[in-house]
Amino acid sequence: MRLVRTEDAVGHVLCHDMTQIVTGEESDGPRFKGPRFRKGHVVAPEDVPVLLSMGKRSLYVWELEPGMVHEDDAAERMVALVAGPGTRTSGVPSEGKINVLADRDGVLLVDSARLSAVNAVDEVMVATRRGGFPVREGDLLAGTRVIPLVISEGQLARAEAAAGDEPLVRVEPFRLRTAAVIATGSEVAAGLIEDRFTPVMVEKLAAYGIETVLRSTPGDDRENVVAAIDEARSEGVDLIMCTGGMSVDPDDNTPGAIRAAGARVVTYGAPVLPGAMLLVGYFDEPAGRKHARPVPVLGVPGCAMYNKATVLDLVLPRIAASVPLTKSDFVELGEGGLCLGCPECTYPHCPFGR
């Protein structure tokens, strides 16, 4: 930073806001008072008369030396590391900041490891929403900027290297369209109690554009549950959801039925409360069938019937977008996987209402 004559400041970067006061014809005070030029502004020739009229005979400036990049130009390069498919930027940088917005409805995916690698580089930053949750077109997803007014080319290049070749965030659209809900339980099958589970699941699925086209109540017998799953597969639905019968009681046969039906189970159990007994698997459909992608099958624990937010809500957005889930995806849910039972749950804006 150095002090220069205003006439010599063209091409340099202002270190401070320049306040301008514009008085009106009336005598009751100024009509305007505020920043005329913001910190970080690059002084242009046409700015010099304005600055002089404001009484600014000299200015503190950063010099754009070779190898240095202005914050606005750096922001353009930073946002290129962030914005992936299904996103758009907020336009030109403002005071060195630029945002990333959702360009479609879907699930936000963030590469957490590479995001951390970028933020480990000094003098740059990227802040995002938590990945794995649904977003709507126009939602703010991320913001990025460099910390100083000017940054070295080398430091910016280190951030670009840390980000790698793929964008840090993307929005995958919801792809599943149809589902079958299989409500287990002998008491439901016998009509002794009303099936209250299926309507809850139908509503949750509808939020992602998934229509429940098949409903069944096969009871608890494993063979009957397998037959219901087979029927759902023959109907060509995009998602099969089995509700109830997920605990370790001897007469809870849903996990065994899902396995017996031929599903590839990714996990039975998740480090999340409520919902630890969730099962997630896939049917790898053979070539020539309606689905070119695996069909997910879920074993949903009973808590999802009466808790507003459970483990199901943490994974359903990705399932609805046909994002493959692995065991490690569930392992990572342990941190932040405890619902505090907030009276005013704000899910899905924040995991478990926090």
Side-chain angles (χ1 to χ4, degrees):
M1 183 173 68
R2 71 186 181 95
L3 187 65
V4 300
R5 293 172 62 247
T6 299
E7 294 87 345
D8 299 330
V10 174
H12 294 303
V13 181
L14 292 178
C15 294
H16 305 283
D17 289 349
M18 296 286 107
T19 299
Q20 185 180 36
I21 299 175
V22 178
T23 59
E25 296 177 357
E26 302 84 357
S27 59
D28 57 352
R31 295 181 60 188
F32 170 80
K33 179 180 179 180
R36 178 64 176 81
F37 300 101
R38 293 281 187 178
K39 178 180 68 173
H41 176 74
V42 179
V43 179
E46 59 269 23
D47 299 333
V48 173
V50 180
L51 288 162
L52 291 174
S53 72
M54 294 164 53
K56 304 299 181 182
R57 304 303 177 197
S58 58
L59 304 170
Y60 282 100
V61 297
W62 287 96
E63 295 182 273
L64 279 179
E65 301 172 350
M68 303 299 289
V69 183
H70 182 265
E71 62 175 355
D72 285 345
D73 296 324
E76 293 278 12
R77 289 173 59 175
M78 287 296 298
V79 81
L81 308 179
V82 181
T87 73
R88 57 182 171 85
T89 67
S90 57
V92 297
S94 174
E95 298 179 38
K97 298 186 290 290
I98 191 166
N99 293 328
V100 178
L101 310 174
D103 204 33
R104 60 190 175 197
D105 294 352
V107 61
L108 172 65
L109 299 180
V110 179
D111 192 309
S112 301
R114 291 191 295 119
L115 174 64
S116 296
V118 171
N119 282 325
V121 178
D122 289 339
E123 300 185 342
V124 303
M125 61 78 63
V126 179
T128 77
R129 293 174 64 163
R130 184 182 292 272
F133 287 89
V135 296
R136 298 300 180 190
E137 182 181 358
D139 282 354
L140 177 63
L141 307 180
T144 182
R145 68 168 302 159
V146 296
I147 305 304
L149 292 174
V150 295
I151 187 172
S152 72
E153 176 67 40
Q155 199 70 0
L156 200 54
R158 279 186 278 276
E160 292 170 332
D165 297 329
E166 297 294 327
L168 298 178
V169 305
R170 70 184 195 273
V171 175
E172 289 293 328
F174 300 127
R175 293 185 170 90
L176 305 192
R177 293 291 177 262
T178 60
V181 177
I182 301 168
T184 66
S186 58
E187 66 279 19
V188 175
L192 299 176
I193 66 171
E194 181 184 356
D195 174 18
R196 298 182 181 274
F197 215 145
T198 296
V200 174
M201 296 300 101
V202 169
E203 183 179 359
K204 282 189 180 290
L205 294 173
Y208 300 101
I210 302 173
E211 180 186 2
T212 302
V213 297
L214 180 66
R215 309 181 191 194
S216 61
T217 55
D220 285 321
D221 182 80
R222 180 178 296 189
E223 287 72 22
N224 290 341
V225 177
V226 170
I229 294 172
D230 289 342
E231 180 187 6
R233 294 180 68 190
S234 68
E235 289 292 325
V237 297
D238 298 325
L239 169 66
I240 301 170
M241 181 177 284
C242 300
T243 65
M246 293 301 301
S247 73
V248 293
D249 295 339
D251 57 350
D252 285 333
N253 291 323
T254 303
I258 291 173
R259 287 190 171 96
R264 169 175 54 87
V265 174
V266 173
T267 188
Y268 175 30
V272 177
L273 293 172
M277 307 306 291
L278 177 76
L279 183 149
V280 175
Y282 292 93
F283 289 106
D284 296 313
E285 300 290 357
R289 291 292 298 274
K290 178 179 179 180
H291 299 288
R293 55 180 178 266
V295 176
V297 55
L298 308 181
V300 183
C303 61
M305 179 169 55
Y306 50 84
N307 284 94
K308 183 173 183 180
T310 70
V311 65
L312 177 63
D313 301 286
L314 300 182
V315 300
L316 189 54
R318 283 175 284 179
I319 290 171
S322 289
V323 177
L325 295 175
T326 65
K327 181 66 175 180
S328 63
D329 292 317
F330 293 92
V331 171
E332 292 170 1
L333 292 178
E335 182 177 356
L338 177 64
C339 176
L340 300 180
C342 302
E344 296 297 330
C345 179
T346 58
Y347 180 84
H349 303 292
C350 183
F352 286 131
R354 291 195 292 280

